[in-house]
Amino acid sequence: MLRRTLANAFCLTALAVTVTAAPAVAGPSTALPRTITLPSGFQPEGIAIGAKPYAYFGSRADGDIYRVDLRTGAGATFSEGPGTASLGLKVDDGRLFVAGGAGGDARIIDLRTGAVLKSYPLRPPADGPFINDVIVTRDAAWFTDSRSLTLFKLPLGRHGRLPAAAVAVPLTGDIALQTGNNANGITTTPDGRGLIIVQSNTGYLFRVSPSGVTSRIDIGDETVVNGDGLWRRGRDLYVVQNRLNVITKIELNRRGTTGEVISRTGNPAFDVPTTIAEYHKRFYLPNARFTTPPTPATTYDAVAVPIP
């Protein structure tokens, strides 16, 4: 049954994501560019948008961070990468948290200068990690690894102080490691007391306790195979199913233990979108173009669509 509901306010409990309202932009949202051109050969994956009208994109090719003014579509390289990928991104407290893919690391970048504040080795590259996505809560940053049953936690101290080292949190319970991409996108539950991850290869969603115990979220006979980036607005969870070129909307209960698929929304401008961010009543998604062989001349973009 397709139903539309108003998004509930985010819950500011122990694990709740800190949300800052975006400032008003002059003119209607239709005045903002609907397509953002990214550099040729960039191979985008992650996107993050904070309170200001700037989007940050990460490159799979070399880890560069590209910043775009959403009012004009103009952009430039903001922070040079380490030569390994920058995948999932989140903006929080003047910093950009970056998942490092096969580099096995997490990086924190200063949004004022583009300098790397700190880099954390999570798993040795020789072990085949794939640090895929990140969510920042009030007291920690959590990173997924699609090649292991592990979350990596950066406990945040007073005033968001960065820790000396990351903490590995083994995933137990319902989830089982499968061939391909496992834990991918990550967000918080509506009540803020747990995390939600999507297992891309099975299409299952899991609620995760702070200690790493997973429980499969009951969404009936539905799955979200190829689930990538997650975005939550109140009790509405949005899942980007990358190779299916759709955004799936799921209405969750407050604890995030059950949900109902409300809609699946495609768009002719989608070309394997991966992650998702919100600004000024729009969703922004980079087109990763996984089905197009990457070359230095391959073109890439990101698109803005209405929130389903």
Side-chain angles (χ1 to χ4, degrees), residues 11-262:
C11 176
L12 298 180
T13 50
L15 280 175
V17 177
T18 303
V19 176
T20 305
V25 174
S29 62
T30 53
L32 300 176
R34 296 183 180 181
T35 302
I36 295 169
T37 300
L38 300 174
S40 295
F42 186 74
Q43 299 183 47
E45 170 85 9
I47 182 174
I49 303 173
K52 296 180 180 180
Y54 297 100
Y56 299 85
F57 297 89
S59 168
R60 304 191 310 275
D62 57 13
D64 280 359
I65 304 296
Y66 190 78
R67 184 174 69 179
V68 172
D69 188 329
L70 296 175
R71 297 163 298 186
T72 64
T77 299
F78 172 71
S79 180
E80 291 190 3
T84 53
S86 292
L87 302 184
L89 311 174
K90 287 295 182 297
V91 168
D92 183 80
D93 194 24
R95 301 173 294 191
L96 183 68
F97 290 72
V98 183
D105 65 329
R107 301 187 304 279
I108 317 321
I109 295 173
D110 189 328
L111 288 185
R112 295 171 301 174
T113 65
V116 175
L117 297 172
K118 199 152 189 177
S119 180
Y120 296 88
L122 304 182
R123 284 183 64 205
D127 289 352
F130 198 70
I131 310 304
N132 208 335
D133 208 355
V134 56
I135 188 69
V136 184
T137 71
R138 292 175 64 187
D139 59 4
W142 296 83
F143 293 81
T144 59
D145 177 10
S146 296
R147 299 289 192 263
S148 74
L149 292 183
T150 312
L151 293 182
F152 292 95
K153 177 182 179 181
L154 298 183
L156 301 177
R158 188 176 181 184
H159 305 305
R161 180 172 53 86
L162 295 172
V167 177
V169 180
L171 293 175
T172 61
D174 289 348
I175 195 170
L177 191 68
Q178 306 285 344
T179 301
N181 283 334
N182 290 271
N184 192 337
I186 184 169
T187 189
T188 54
T189 56
D191 66 2
R193 297 182 182 276
L195 301 165
I196 295 173
I197 58 174
V198 60
Q199 189 175 22
S200 297
N201 43 17
T202 64
Y204 298 155
L205 293 163
F206 295 91
R207 185 188 191 278
V208 187
S209 74
S211 62
V213 179
T214 65
S215 303
R216 184 175 163 186
I217 298 173
D218 182 4
I219 57 172
D221 295 331
E222 300 277 3
T223 64
V224 283
V225 174
N226 294 325
D228 202 326
L230 301 182
W231 188 262
R232 184 176 63 78
R233 305 179 86 239
R235 286 171 54 189
D236 292 335
L237 176 69
Y238 293 87
V239 184
V240 183
Q241 291 182 261
N242 53 34
R243 292 177 184 266
L244 302 185
N245 288 306
V246 296
I247 303 171
T248 298
K249 178 180 179 180
I250 299 170
E251 184 180 300
L252 299 168
N253 67 353
R254 184 170 174 78
R255 293 188 63 238
T257 57
T258 65
E260 179 185 0
V261 173
I262 301 302

